[in-house]
Amino acid sequence: MDGRGRALLVPHGPIVNYRMREIGVGLLGLGNVGAGVVRLLEENAKAIEARLGAKLVIRGAAVRDLGKERRAEIDSSLLCDDPMELATREGIDIVCELIGGEELARELVLAAIGANKQVVTANKALLAVHGEELYASAESNGVDLYYEAAVCGGIPIIRALREGLASDRIESIAGIVNGTSNFITCAMAQGGQSFEEVLATAQAEGYAEADPTLDIGGGDAAHKLAILAMLCFGTRVELDDIHVEGIETLAEIDYAMAKQHGYVIKSLAMGVRREMGIELRVHPAMVPQSWLLADVPDTKNAVYVRSYALGPSMYYGAGAGMMPTAMSVVSDLIEVGRNLGANATGSMPLRIQRDLPATAVIPMAQLRSHYYLRFTVADLPGTLGKLTTILGQHQVSIANLSQTVMPGDDEHEQVAVVARTHEALEEHVQSALQAIAGAGLLLAPTQLIRIAS
Ligand code: NDP
Ligand code: HSE
């Protein structure tokens, strides 16, 4: 305003006593993701200020080890080792939980909400296990709880489901949602490296969880599927209801046989709406080479969604790593910052209630699928006959059968018998496998891989 109360006009419009608002951010954790957040806020500061109309200022960062070397430059006076104090400290508007794990993270987020802070988290384990309690607490306190980075790192899949597809009815999702396991299956399919070597690379690059068994055992993907299922189907999912298998039992020969049969092995997280309820499962699957999901390389993630009005749509990008994940976290900070500016925090529904009432998760035994079965047996007369007879007795019909000498077995002592089945009921396949195991034919456990169709 000028001295007579008139707006002062500049080429872009009126500017009235303009002073940049500051929003205080407290980082709980300064590891891979936390360091990325510091870097992005620094490197992209001007654009972020312009998009938000306010300045995001890091007012503190809690770590476990104050003396540790950091991957981002931060004033050491901002560091502390008491995350609870920081989560509730005056001057912090948004608490950014990047510590990981379940219990401490839960206590910190609840305390932050209780202190009327907005919360941004990248922690899928926290939301999959304690989500209901946290959403309820955020709702009753009227604060934001944003979690874009928790699923598929840098891909804005939460926004796509919560906003872009808000009017649609989702029929199914099939996703590669764990970067580490995708990195491993891609490298194993190429050959030349051991499982352990590839995993060590993923750990060194900061993709793997602190406990990498969550990545290779499918637990991390199950956490993400629980969050996605809530958004897609409007149903609360208990982790125990999700069928989970990891990639650790897959052998070189499975990757080679997949290629020979026109497939690529991927660890898939799937949610499918059926008349009786929803199927929820995470397991390695033979994906046809012609599918887009078969082409998802390295640590990339992708989610293929089928919905009633839109039809198929796919969301693809970096699912893990420092900067992609930091990007999602900072975008959440910007959105929460806007909500703070508009006095509209707590207005975004945290769970989407779609048209499904208390949804039953369909037991795995009821799944109908095509199967790849690899039996390790002795190369003796009658073995094939016995195997196929037992499969037939359990209503499992074979579409294709082959026998291969196990790599390195020059004496031909063991062979791999690979059967691809027609569509069969999981219950029947499992009972056939039990009967085969009991028939004394096997030299090693049978490998089962479901074929995506
Ligand atoms: P890191 O292990 O690299 O970092 C964890 C940070 O938390 C460290 O700075 C650590 O301190 C700090 N910390 C741990 N315990 C305490 C404690 N008791 N008190 C204070 N500070 C503590 O994990 P990431 O950055 O990789 O992951 C963070 C979160 O983001 C997790 O929930 C993860 O699942 C999620 N995520 C990670 C992705 C990735 O690609 N890495 C992608 C998407 C989500 P110090 O440094 O001193 O040890
Ligand atoms: N460990 C996870 C992964 C990080 O590999 O996908 C991203 O959530």
Side-chain angles (χ1 to χ4, degrees):
M1 300 284 186
D2 66 7
R4 282 174 284 176
R6 291 175 306 189
L8 290 173
L9 289 179
V10 293
H12 301 293
I15 294 185
V16 185
N17 284 340
Y18 189 72
R19 213 185 70 219
M20 184 56 77
R21 194 165 50 95
E22 286 193 351
I23 295 173
V25 176
L27 293 180
L28 309 182
L30 199 53
N32 293 303
V33 182
V37 169
V38 172
R39 269 166 63 169
L40 193 58
L41 283 174
E42 173 69 29
E43 287 164 12
N44 222 3
K46 285 246 156 20
I48 292 169
E49 269 180 42
R51 286 166 197 162
L52 171 58
K55 195 171 179 170
L56 292 166
V57 180
I58 296 175
R59 298 227 167 100
V63 295
R64 197 169 21 199
D65 176 359
L66 288 168
K68 203 183 206 176
E69 203 175 312
R70 299 286 154 197
R71 290 177 75 189
E73 275 182 34
I74 186 163
D75 185 340
S76 60
S77 68
L78 292 175
L79 298 183
C80 68
D81 58 4
D82 184 352
M84 187 55 85
E85 182 279 320
L86 182 60
T88 52
R89 189 190 290 175
E90 210 176 302
I92 302 293
D93 302 297
I94 311 176
V95 167
C96 199
E97 187 278 306
L98 304 171
I99 277 186
E102 293 168 24
E103 276 319 313
L104 175 61
R106 170 184 165 270
E107 285 169 27
L108 293 170
V109 169
L110 284 174
I113 292 171
N116 210 30
K117 315 289 184 197
Q118 318 306 314
V119 175
V120 170
T121 179
N123 191 336
K124 51 270 162 143
L126 172 72
L127 296 174
V129 178
H130 299 296
E132 280 303 306
E133 183 187 17
L134 301 178
Y135 303 136
S137 177
E139 277 162 1
S140 65
N141 283 275
V143 302
D144 280 343
L145 171 57
Y146 274 57
Y147 52 88
E148 183 62 71
V151 183
C152 296
I155 307 175
I157 185 68
I158 303 295
R159 276 191 183 78
L161 295 172
R162 204 157 60 171
E163 295 167 39
L165 295 171
S167 64
D168 214 341
R169 172 189 150 100
I170 291 171
E171 303 296 350
S172 67
I173 48 167
I176 293 169
V177 299
N178 182 268
T180 302
S181 56
N182 199 52
F183 185 68
I184 294 174
T185 54
C186 289
M188 296 297 289
Q190 293 291 319
Q193 284 185 85
S194 72
F195 187 94
E196 289 71 26
E197 282 168 338
V198 187
L199 174 60
T201 310
Q203 286 177 296
E205 296 290 329
Y207 300 129
E209 294 302 302
D211 170 8
T213 56
L214 279 172
D215 296 295
I216 58 183
D220 177 76
H223 289 149
K224 292 165 180 168
L225 182 59
I227 298 170
L228 291 174
M230 176 193 69
L231 294 170
C232 291
F233 307 117
T235 186
R236 182 172 165 219
V237 172
E238 299 292 344
L239 273 178
D240 287 348
D241 289 338
I242 301 179
H243 177 85
V244 184
E245 289 171 28
I247 57 167
E248 59 276 53
T249 60
L250 300 173
E252 223 177 300
I253 187 172
D254 298 315
Y255 292 99
M257 294 304 287
K259 193 171 177 186
Q260 201 174 311
H261 287 257
Y263 298 104
V264 177
I265 300 181
K266 295 284 183 194
S267 174
L268 290 189
M270 277 176 279
V272 185
R273 185 198 293 265
R274 307 261 182 222
E275 246 168 56
M276 312 142 61
I278 49 172
E279 281 172 22
L280 291 175
R281 47 200 166 94
V282 172
H283 55 71
M286 295 262 183
V287 174
Q289 282 168 0
S290 58
W291 285 22
L292 289 172
L293 283 174
D295 269 340
V296 175
D298 304 325
T299 53
K300 293 284 189 290
N301 282 192
V303 182
Y304 183 82
V305 180
R306 273 185 185 282
S307 55
Y308 159 71
L310 176 63
S313 55
M314 181 144 153
Y315 307 85
Y316 170 89
M322 181 176 182
M323 295 315 287
T325 311
M327 188 282 296
S328 284
V329 172
V330 174
S331 293
D332 274 355
L333 290 175
I334 292 173
E335 195 166 336
V336 171
R338 286 181 184 140
N339 292 343
L340 278 166
N343 230 349
T345 58
S347 56
M348 169 68 85
L350 295 170
R351 296 155 285 197
I352 297 182
Q353 296 303 322
R354 291 189 189 268
D355 50 330
L356 229 51
T359 307
V361 176
I362 303 171
M364 196 61 184
Q366 298 303 309
L367 176 73
R368 297 199 74 86
S369 179
H370 298 250
Y371 294 82
Y372 159 100
L373 305 171
R374 174 173 55 80
F375 304 100
T376 307
V377 291
D379 193 4
L380 293 173
T383 305
L384 271 183
K386 286 178 195 154
L387 275 177
T388 53
T389 302
I390 298 175
L391 287 169
Q393 284 166 344
H394 290 82
Q395 285 93 55
V396 180
S397 169
I398 297 166
N400 179 292
L401 192 71
S402 63
Q403 179 173 307
T404 315
V405 175
M406 291 296 272
D409 180 16
D410 298 335
E411 306 301 318
H412 287 216
E413 281 169 353
Q414 297 186 1
V415 285
V417 172
V418 170
R420 259 193 312 126
T421 74
H422 288 295
E423 189 178 280
L425 192 62
E426 175 92 13
E427 196 174 19
H428 292 160
V429 174
Q430 294 295 351
S431 57
L433 295 190
Q434 262 187 21
I436 289 167
L441 298 169
L442 300 176
L443 300 175
T446 298
Q447 180 67 61
L448 173 156
I449 306 176
R450 296 170 192 86
I451 298 175
S453 59

